[in-house]
Amino acid sequence: MDDSLPAVDPDVAATAADIAEMEIRGAATIADAAAEALAKQAERSEAASPKEFRRQLRAAAKTLYETRPTAVSLPNALRYVLRGMSGETVSELRASTIARAEEFQVDLAQAQSKLGEIGSNRLRDGDVVMTHCHSTDALSCLEAAVEDGKEIEAIVKETRPRKQGHITARQLRELGVPVTLVVDNAARRYLDRADHVLVGADSIAADGSVINKVGTSGLAVNARERGVPVMVAAQTIKLHPDTMTGHTVEIEMRAEREVVSDEERADIAGEQSDDGLTVENPAFDVTPPRYVDAIVTERGQFPPESIVILMRELFGETTGEPWAP
């Protein structure tokens, strides 16, 4: 029996490439793009049988899944769409898949708005908030606070090597929020001015650990020392259900060229052998729950240690991989 998966629609392949290269970034944006890609695969499928249609959808999901191992919103989106695929004919399977993808996208858009309203309740008029990286969930809290008439200021870490903090700074300025953009290593100095640290998450484990852009953990430790509360804004698609059964979260290692160019590498090595120089570029780190004050979701705010209760409610005790052959 041939268990190999068929080729995928070109738009699916293009979406996968954009996710891998971080042209599509941010957990919610990745999830939305993945659902859209599966809908396109379903719409354009020329499968002659229900079995072949399912194989094509699994192939598309697997192609998308393998792009970013740490961003759990991606497999959660794929699970949601594939588990809603039902029907006895290709036509029925196509319709159910497209409908399920559209339903997911609508829920996703509403979730961020609800999350923002809940998160904004933790912010007071005149607060100064420090951010790290770029998170649409975190930004939704600040946007809701501004819409409520609160005066908010932001200290934005630039977040090297890709400087996602520049995106955050630009979008906050578009909201009229005063921004101080600082280099990453200056965070501890500027925490004395901050009332909150507000970050997003790419994944949240069952024990309440937060997996987010590398540098988050150090920021949270420094914030606890300074007495600055740390709020994590994360939609429930960021919850990592596999961690309930003992799986660990894989930390993505990015290409060294994001840190040093070939010319810079040669300059560092000098006359010595290049074999002795190793460049590592982890995309994420893990913040233990003891350094997090609250995880804010569209379903409410939770102490990190209790997030497993919400996880069980949403996903049950175990999960599988519906894209597997």
Side-chain angles (χ1 to χ4, degrees):
M1 180 179 176
D2 183 11
D3 287 333
S4 63
L5 294 172
V8 301
D9 184 85
D11 272 2
V12 173
T15 297
D18 285 346
I19 293 173
E21 294 300 320
M22 294 181 68
E23 295 298 324
I24 297 174
R25 69 179 77 191
T29 307
I30 289 172
D32 182 79
E36 178 70 21
L38 288 184
K40 287 181 179 178
Q41 179 72 52
E43 181 181 0
R44 298 171 183 174
S45 171
E46 297 179 355
S49 68
K51 180 179 179 180
E52 178 61 20
F53 182 90
R54 291 180 183 276
R55 289 183 70 244
Q56 289 179 5
L57 265 293
R58 287 201 306 270
K62 188 172 186 293
T63 299
L64 293 161
Y65 171 69
E66 291 176 344
T67 57
R68 298 292 304 277
T70 307
V72 74
S73 64
L74 176 55
N76 280 347
L78 300 175
R79 289 186 183 105
Y80 187 97
V81 175
L82 291 186
R83 287 177 177 163
M85 182 172 57
S86 61
E88 301 298 324
T89 67
V90 170
S91 178
E92 290 173 349
L93 289 169
R94 189 193 322 277
S96 65
T97 302
I98 294 172
R100 183 75 164 180
E102 291 174 348
E103 177 183 289
F104 176 82
Q105 291 177 297
V106 170
D107 289 347
L108 189 66
Q110 295 176 345
Q112 192 164 83
S113 176
K114 292 176 183 176
L115 182 157
E117 292 175 5
I118 294 168
S120 71
N121 291 331
R122 294 182 63 90
L123 303 177
R124 299 162 300 181
D125 187 38
D127 274 352
V128 177
V129 178
M130 179 176 285
T131 68
H132 181 66
C133 199
H134 174 251
S135 164
T136 55
D137 286 344
L139 281 169
S140 72
C141 299
L142 296 170
E143 183 174 6
V146 170
E147 289 177 350
D148 284 343
K150 297 174 184 176
E151 296 288 339
I152 302 292
E153 295 185 27
I155 301 169
V156 177
K157 294 177 64 184
E158 63 173 353
T159 320
R160 288 180 179 262
R162 296 185 66 93
K163 299 182 181 178
Q164 292 102 319
H166 290 200
I167 304 171
T168 300
R170 183 179 69 248
Q171 293 181 347
L172 287 173
R173 287 302 302 132
E174 289 171 356
L175 293 173
V177 174
V179 170
T180 301
L181 183 67
V182 300
V183 297
D184 292 338
N185 288 340
R188 192 172 186 274
R189 170 189 175 96
Y190 286 90
L191 275 168
D192 288 337
R193 288 177 46 193
D195 298 294
H196 298 272
V197 167
L198 174 60
V199 298
D202 278 74
S203 298
I204 295 177
D207 69 347
S209 295
V210 174
I211 297 88
N212 194 47
K213 178 68 178 179
V214 66
T216 302
S217 181
L219 176 59
V221 171
N222 282 328
R224 175 54 54 93
E225 180 194 32
R226 286 288 204 262
V228 180
V230 176
M231 175 169 61
V232 176
Q235 297 175 54
T236 54
I237 58 166
K238 314 286 186 65
L239 303 182
H240 204 309
D242 290 344
T243 58
M244 290 189 290
T245 54
H247 290 79
T248 57
V249 178
E250 180 182 353
I251 299 299
E252 176 185 359
M253 298 296 291
R254 302 287 300 173
E256 69 171 51
R257 67 177 181 275
E258 293 182 350
V259 181
V260 293
S261 66
D262 291 340
E263 293 78 9
E264 289 170 327
R265 183 183 179 91
D267 183 60
I268 294 169
E271 297 180 357
Q272 302 299 315
S273 170
D274 195 40
D275 294 340
L277 175 62
T278 300
V279 179
E280 294 196 351
N281 183 19
F284 304 97
D285 62 21
V286 181
T287 302
R290 64 181 177 274
Y291 297 112
V292 176
D293 291 271
I295 296 174
V296 177
T297 77
E298 74 273 17
R299 290 176 173 252
Q301 56 180 325
F302 300 85
E305 296 81 3
S306 69
I307 204 68
V308 66
I309 298 172
L310 177 61
M311 202 176 286
R312 289 192 182 118
E313 177 186 330
L314 294 173
F315 301 106
E317 291 291 340
T318 59
T319 61
E321 297 181 345
W323 48 86

